[in-house]
Amino acid sequence: MEIENSVKLSILLEIYGKMLTQKQYHLLNDYYNNDLSLAEIAENENITRQAVRDNLKKGERKLFELEEKLQIMKKNRMQEEQIASILSEINHLTENSTDIEIANVLEDVKNKLNCLV
């Protein structure tokens, strides 16, 4: 399942935001997380809409470059998918298991995995 681009950028901003300039971070945060328009950001920052757009594009490129090199978001998503798959299998086993000891161990593992998600 592909993540919508604006959601992806919001996640990347959370992961790599400290690696941007303070201005880039602030503008990207206002646009993607605070849902401000280019005009609203331009007015707040006392700059043109084009300057806002240029800064956003530069920051977006930087976020995508960082993800391409470090792949933290990709690794996190893969880990979450694996944990969800394990939890699904454990749920299936605990629902269909008659051995109480196995069910207790599986329940403990399930609880520990839930803390990671």
Side-chain angles (χ1 to χ4, degrees):
M1 182 173 92
E2 186 63 27
I3 300 175
E4 184 182 331
N5 201 45
S6 61
V7 174
K8 185 183 286 188
L9 280 161
S10 181
I11 294 168
L12 291 174
L13 185 60
E14 183 179 328
I15 296 170
Y16 302 113
K18 300 288 186 194
M19 296 176 166
L20 300 174
T21 67
Q22 190 173 7
K23 183 171 188 153
Q24 285 174 334
Y25 176 82
H26 181 69
L27 295 177
L28 285 162
N29 188 57
D30 277 349
Y31 189 71
Y32 288 105
N33 294 331
N34 298 331
D35 203 29
L36 296 181
S37 69
L38 294 177
E40 290 170 319
I41 297 170
E43 185 178 325
N44 292 345
E45 298 295 320
N46 201 23
I47 57 177
T48 65
R49 286 177 75 246
Q50 187 60 46
V52 173
R53 184 161 179 70
D54 291 345
N55 274 292
L56 288 176
K57 291 300 172 194
K58 188 174 181 180
E60 290 168 3
R61 277 194 304 275
K62 180 72 172 175
L63 291 174
F64 283 123
E65 287 171 9
L66 288 165
E67 176 59 17
E68 187 175 317
K69 290 176 185 173
L70 302 174
Q71 297 190 350
I72 293 172
M73 183 175 71
K74 180 181 178 183
K75 290 173 187 173
N76 285 346
R77 286 195 73 214
M78 287 174 49
Q79 183 180 34
E80 288 172 0
E81 289 170 3
Q82 288 174 334
I83 290 170
S85 174
I86 291 167
L87 286 170
S88 175
E89 290 178 32
I90 289 173
N91 283 333
H92 179 75
L93 285 173
T94 55
E95 290 168 0
N96 299 316
S97 178
T98 56
D99 188 347
I100 297 208
E101 187 175 325
I102 291 173
N104 288 339
V105 170
L106 290 174
E107 190 65 31
D108 184 50
V109 171
K110 183 173 79 169
N111 290 335
K112 289 176 182 172
L113 286 172
N114 273 323
C115 291
L116 297 175
V117 178

